[in-house]
Amino acid sequence: GLRGNPELKAERSWTLDFKLKNETKKWRFVADSYLRQSTDLIDWTSTSFGRAMPINRARVQIAGLHLKNQLVFNQLLVSAAYRWQGEWAQDSDLDARYKRLSGSPEHRLRMITQWQTKPWKFGLNLEFKSARFLDAANLRRIESSPEVNVLIEHRWAQGWSLKTQLFNATNTE
């Protein structure tokens, strides 16, 4: 279960974003980068007995890069995306060791394929993530397994469709 924390302080932060985009009828490329600085960031951490509670992280710096490439071939859409996110969190002004935020992987790679033939659309999404931590102290490391998502959609009239999605079909956690 979740627990509250009456000692939480208000979070303060600023973010700077950049985006580069190029697209044609059959191709699209997007590159995003961001930088965030936070004070007293509210983060969830795992406690004993399988509970989670919010805590303040004194200082957090986050930098990231997201690259996405998308190609369209007749009825087939192929997309690949990569995200790197560096995180440097300190729990107090005296903390000399930087840690990652809990639950956040540093690397993420996603590949998406969708095939559309009216009135059907079929999709397959593969996602790979690097290890992440379950706790704020970065003591409980969790290895990630590949994730598979499946999409089936049927359109039968203008504006009407039925979509079925299966998320994390390979869930081993």
Side-chain angles (χ1 to χ4, degrees), residues 104-120:
S104 177
E106 183 175 3
H107 303 279
R108 179 177 292 174
L109 175 65
R110 179 178 292 155
M111 294 174 287
I112 300 169
T113 302
Q114 289 184 352
W115 180 66
Q116 186 165 347
T117 177
K118 293 183 179 177
W120 292 95

Side-chain angles (χ1 to χ4, degrees), residues 84-109:
W84 167 80
Q85 182 167 296
E87 301 168 345
W88 301 271
Q90 293 174 296
D91 292 322
S92 75
D93 294 332
L94 303 175
D95 195 355
R97 181 177 164 250
Y98 292 102
K99 301 174 220 55
R100 291 198 58 79
L101 297 175
S102 50
S104 177
E106 183 175 3
H107 303 279
R108 179 177 292 174
L109 175 65

Side-chain angles (χ1 to χ4, degrees), residues 48-78:
S48 56
F49 308 111
R51 297 191 176 190
M53 81 181 269
I55 61 168
N56 283 113
R57 307 299 290 266
R59 280 191 308 273
V60 177
Q61 295 174 344
I62 299 172
L65 176 65
H66 185 234
L67 303 171
K68 183 176 182 181
N69 195 27
Q70 189 175 52
L71 296 166
V72 178
F73 305 101
N74 298 325
Q75 300 163 314
L76 184 67
L77 174 127
V78 178

Side-chain angles (χ1 to χ4, degrees), residues 132 142-148 168-173:
R132 59 193 192 281
I142 300 173
E143 296 298 329
S144 296
S145 19
E147 185 177 307
V148 175
N168 204 4
T170 56
N171 185 9
T172 59
E173 296 175 12

